[in-house]
Amino acid sequence: MSAVMSAADVRRSRVRLFIVTMLFLVTTVNYADRATLSIAGPALSKELHLDPVAMGYIFSAFGWSYVIAQVPGGWLLDRYGSRLVYAFSIIVWSLFTTMQGWVGFFSAGTAITVLFGLRFLVGIAEAPSFPANARIVAAWFPGNERGTASAFFNSGQYFATVIFAPLMGWIAHDYGWRYVFFVMGALGIVMGLVWIKTVYGPKEHPGINEAEFDYIKAGGALVDLDAPKEERAPEPGSGWDHIRQLLSNRMMLGVYLGQYCINTLTYFFLTWFPVYLVKERGLSILQAGFVATLPALCGFIGGVLGGVISDAILRKTGSLTMARKIPIVGGMLLSMSIIACNYVDGQALVVGFMALAFFGKGIGALGWAVVSDTSPKEAGGVSGGLFNTFGNLSSISTPIVIGYILAATGSFNGALIFVGANALVAAFAYLVVVGKIERVVLKRSSRGLPMGA
């Protein structure tokens, strides 16, 4: 029997590995584009005379629109499919990233308004990205590989810092902050063009063979997710009814709360962390770009390891609940080590505790695997959009709250306690609120809810 399976494994194509690699690369560029402002921020704020509160609001501009556009972005994915919507998203957000390099040509007041507006537009354009990632993983991966696949693409957020923080720091130092936006925007446009040429669904991809298709389908992959609508099973209820049912599900509400708190760590890292290194710890922006790579690298390693651990637990126990909760809860408790930075003086110790915190955050960042595990087949995009809506409310609150803490205290101590407390609440959400993790089955209603329901 093992010889037969071994022969089958040899014959099976590995297109899904290429697909998740593309998701990883696009996610890396996605997060690098989000972090452009944090790298350019010290020089930009000095040139435009921005105080911490003003910078907090500009950092949050992305989050406002990103949250607002999540459910519409998910609906677009369910309506038009992941491939085309994602390609359009990549190219448009990259164009708006490029345009941020022009704000220095305006007077200070106008520049602030234009910068806020462009960050707002980047948020709208990026909205479909992570729901699309979850849909693509659900379509291409069997259940026993989904945790690793989701963790791998999600680890792109850390890899973005490993690769691009030193690059952007060097560009800002040697050529000026404007060129950070020009270079990253151009790279994103290239990535969008590569995506549209190489990524397809399981039924359409020219490289997949029958053995791989049968393997992923038998393992629970939703291979029909982006099939033409006439080939899909009838969908129960309306889009509004789907949303109502998801919002009345205790498991999903616990997942949403957990993701909000987990993303608080993410957005501290993407917004205020380089500023913390420069203003609180006395590094230059060039040094900060390089120093940020160690916590990011640990987050990347933790992210991949979390998925591997989760899928190993699933194979050993058969319990999806244990497989997802153990890494998430353990990782979040480890992330609370960020608070220890308040009690050490040496830069090496600060970086060490930050690295430990982001290693834990990486292990626990399995939210998108949970989305792929739990989203109803008929509403994967909307489900991912809701999840990302709640999760990215922290992209609004985190930079603003930290900005006010800095303005009130003149120190990052309270900010780090705020971030660590969110990690504790995330662990609580998964331990107490979520319950059993399983796929949501929508109930068919006789009529969809009216628009205002």
Side-chain angles (χ1 to χ4, degrees):
M1 183 65 171
S2 60
V4 174
M5 290 300 295
S6 176
D9 288 342
V10 171
R11 292 196 304 270
R12 192 185 302 147
S13 58
R14 296 288 187 271
V15 176
R16 66 193 184 284
L17 303 184
F18 171 78
I19 295 295
V20 78
T21 300
M22 285 298 298
L23 293 180
F24 170 78
L25 292 174
V26 171
T27 300
T28 299
V29 173
N30 181 313
Y31 269 86
D33 284 352
R34 296 186 198 189
T36 48
L37 186 59
S38 69
I39 297 296
L44 183 152
S45 62
K46 183 177 180 180
E47 183 173 320
L48 300 181
H49 308 291
L50 302 178
D51 62 23
V53 172
M55 279 301 294
Y57 276 101
I58 290 173
F59 277 139
S60 78
F62 170 91
W64 290 101
S65 58
Y66 190 67
V67 167
I68 291 167
Q70 281 301 307
V71 173
W75 177 85
L76 285 173
L77 291 165
D78 288 336
R79 178 67 179 83
Y80 297 106
S82 304
R83 177 175 174 264
L84 293 177
V85 173
Y86 211 161
F88 182 77
S89 171
I90 296 166
I91 292 171
V92 172
W93 93 53
S94 300
L95 287 171
F96 289 137
T97 296
T98 303
M99 292 168 67
Q100 289 171 68
W102 301 340
V103 300
F105 298 114
F106 296 97
S107 62
T110 304
I112 293 170
T113 303
V114 172
L115 182 59
F116 186 96
L118 289 171
R119 295 293 293 180
F120 193 89
L121 291 171
V122 169
I124 292 176
E126 287 197 11
S129 55
F130 270 74
N133 287 349
R135 289 179 97 254
I136 292 167
V137 167
W140 271 98
F141 284 86
N144 65 346
E145 296 180 2
R146 208 169 282 151
T148 301
S150 297
F152 181 59
F153 82 66
N154 198 44
S155 67
Q157 63 183 281
Y158 311 105
F159 197 71
T161 304
V162 173
I163 296 298
F164 291 111
L167 174 64
M168 291 190 289
W170 171 70
I171 291 171
H173 183 268
D174 283 13
Y175 297 96
W177 60 264
R178 294 170 180 80
Y179 286 90
V180 171
F181 298 107
F182 296 152
V183 171
M184 295 311 302
L187 179 62
I189 292 170
V190 172
M191 180 59 67
L193 296 175
V194 172
W195 174 277
I196 199 65
K197 289 289 188 181
T198 59
V199 175
Y200 301 87
K203 284 193 167 183
E204 297 81 32
H205 202 288
I208 191 171
N209 64 14
E210 186 177 354
E212 183 178 18
F213 184 86
D214 291 344
Y215 168 72
I216 65 173
K217 184 176 182 180
L222 307 181
V223 294
D224 295 316
L225 204 54
D226 279 345
K229 280 192 143 337
E230 59 270 14
E231 296 181 17
R232 304 182 206 172
E235 299 179 3
S238 66
W240 292 103
D241 190 42
H242 297 165
I243 293 171
R244 179 189 63 80
Q245 291 188 53
L246 288 166
L247 290 178
S248 62
N249 185 293
R250 173 176 168 168
M251 175 188 70
M252 297 308 299
L253 290 176
V255 170
Y256 298 155
L257 173 61
Q259 189 66 9
Y260 169 83
C261 295
I262 292 170
N263 271 354
T264 297
L265 281 83
T266 301
Y267 282 101
F268 167 72
F269 196 66
L270 287 177
T271 56
W272 283 110
F273 181 53
V275 181
Y276 167 76
L277 293 175
V278 172
K279 296 197 172 179
E280 189 92 351
R281 295 296 172 176
L283 277 65
S284 71
I285 188 60
L286 183 62
Q287 291 171 324
F290 281 95
V291 167
T293 61
L294 181 59
L297 183 61
C298 290
F300 170 73
I301 294 169
V304 176
L305 186 60
V308 172
I309 291 170
S310 180
D311 284 347
I313 294 172
L314 179 58
R315 285 191 292 269
K316 188 173 182 63
T317 67
S319 170
L320 185 62
T321 301
M322 289 179 61
R324 303 304 187 230
K325 284 189 178 184
I326 289 173
I328 292 172
V329 173
M332 288 303 99
L333 294 177
L334 189 58
S335 288
M336 293 182 67
S337 61
I338 195 171
I339 298 173
C341 293
N342 289 338
Y343 304 101
V344 297
D345 293 323
Q347 290 182 356
L349 285 173
V350 169
V351 174
F353 280 119
M354 283 288 178
L356 185 62
F358 284 98
F359 177 75
K361 193 266 180 183
I363 289 177
L366 287 171
W368 283 105
V370 175
V371 170
S372 294
D373 295 326
T374 59
S375 293
K377 297 178 181 180
E378 308 86 357
V382 168
S383 177
L386 273 177
F387 170 82
N388 225 19
T389 297
F390 283 95
N392 281 280
L393 287 172
S394 57
S395 69
I396 300 170
S397 61
T398 300
I400 293 176
V401 169
I402 292 176
Y404 276 108
I405 290 173
L406 292 179
T409 67
S411 166
F412 272 89
N413 287 359
L416 298 188
I417 292 171
F418 167 74
V419 174
N422 273 271
L424 180 61
V425 175
F428 172 85
Y430 272 92
L431 274 176
V432 177
V433 183
V434 170
K436 183 180 181 182
I437 295 176
E438 57 189 353
R439 191 170 300 282
V440 175
V441 178
L442 297 177
K443 298 175 183 177
R444 188 179 300 277
S445 59
S446 57
R447 293 188 304 173
L449 292 181
M451 183 67 75

